[in-house]
Amino acid sequence: MRIDEVKKGAVLVVKPMDKRIDASSATAFKAKIAGWIQEGEKRIVLNLSEVDFIDSSGLGAIVSSLKAMGGEGDLVICNPRETVMSLFRLTRMNRVFQILPSEEEAVANLSET
Amino acid sequence: METFSQQDARISISIDSRLNQVHLVGYAVHGICSQLGLGDIVVYQIELAVVEAVNNAIKHAYGSVGGHPVEVVISVNEKRLQFEICDEGKNLHFLRKGTALDFDPRNKTDLPEGGMGLHIMEQVMDDVSYFVRNGRNCLVLCKRLA
């Protein structure tokens, strides 16, 4: 699971480069995000622009990452494709996560908090 | 569950019970559905529902142990698209369990991290049924066309 990372001020932007976050890759994805959280990252933007398929295991890994912040930080999503967005709506997870249309808006959102 | 005639188009795919093989089923479902004029979001959701069913067979029927067959039979006519996802593993009986995805979005500590697959299947498909016959378990997903 290749995930690009770039720090923008206090915000870490992570961008999975694999097309699918699914049952076969969810564990590796979750471990990577957990690593950054353990290193002290509390403001994370998850840029999903390169991802064209997420299943419930992948979504569960994203939820787990949010919970791993323990209420001391936040994970914001940006640039999901409309198809992937439909998974968030099917599961009502669109009411859990802030999902923004651009990385700039997502970084600005977390920078203000 | 629709009974398909011999005139219906039908294709069978078999993968080994390993999660890193499931994407092949996804690609096949995506490719077929893309030809049916359903729109990108519906095609994605159908692929998602079938992937969830295959994941369930691998994880729960076979306990994530490789070396066992998961068969997906896709049948299509002008009225319906049907997927039968069959395994020879443990009988799941999971359709007897409640499928409501009930959580408070404001409460981040109690968010579900799993168990969403059946809810997704029931949201996307028009009919979800499960049968066991001669040691073979089959989950059947039906989607009406037009």
Side-chain angles (χ1 to χ4, degrees), chain A residues 6 8 13 15 45 47 78-79 101-108:
Chain A
V6 61
K8 297 189 174 182
V13 180
K15 186 174 175 183
V45 169
N47 185 330
C78 74
N79 301 78
S102 74
E103 186 176 296
E104 291 70 31
E105 284 178 76
V107 171

Side-chain angles (χ1 to χ4, degrees), chain B residues 15-22 54-70 87-90:
Chain B
I15 62 163
D16 188 78
S17 53
R18 287 178 285 143
L19 292 173
N20 64 6
Q21 304 293 298
V22 179
V54 175
N55 285 345
N56 272 351
I58 292 172
K59 288 187 199 176
H60 303 303
Y62 291 131
S64 298
V65 175
H68 302 286
V70 180
D87 65 78
E88 297 168 4
K90 185 178 167 188

Side-chain angles (χ1 to χ4, degrees), chain A residues 5-113:
Chain A
E5 57 172 304
V6 61
K7 199 74 182 278
K8 297 189 174 182
V11 178
L12 178 68
V13 180
V14 301
K15 186 174 175 183
M17 301 306 288
D18 289 4
K19 292 295 179 189
R20 299 172 82 90
I21 306 177
D22 60 10
S24 70
S25 60
T27 302
F29 170 87
K30 183 175 161 181
K32 279 218 157 186
I33 304 285
W36 281 311
I37 294 171
Q38 281 164 16
E39 288 172 7
E41 298 295 341
K42 295 192 186 319
R43 302 178 193 194
I44 297 178
V45 169
L46 174 61
N47 185 330
L48 293 179
S49 58
E50 294 298 315
V51 179
D52 61 24
F53 185 85
I54 301 178
D55 67 9
S56 68
S57 298
L59 179 59
I62 297 172
V63 171
S64 174
S65 300
L66 177 65
K67 291 166 79 173
M69 294 216 160
E72 294 179 0
D74 205 359
L75 185 148
V76 170
I77 292 170
C78 74
N79 301 78
R81 299 184 187 196
E82 270 307 302
T83 47
V84 168
M85 188 64 203
S86 74
L87 169 64
F88 285 87
R89 293 194 180 106
L90 280 172
T91 56
R92 294 194 299 124
M93 289 296 177
N94 58 317
R95 299 185 193 181
V96 171
F97 293 94
Q98 273 215 284
I99 303 175
L100 296 165
S102 74
E103 186 176 296
E104 291 70 31
E105 284 178 76
V107 171
N109 180 279
L110 281 181
S111 298
E112 289 167 6
T113 57

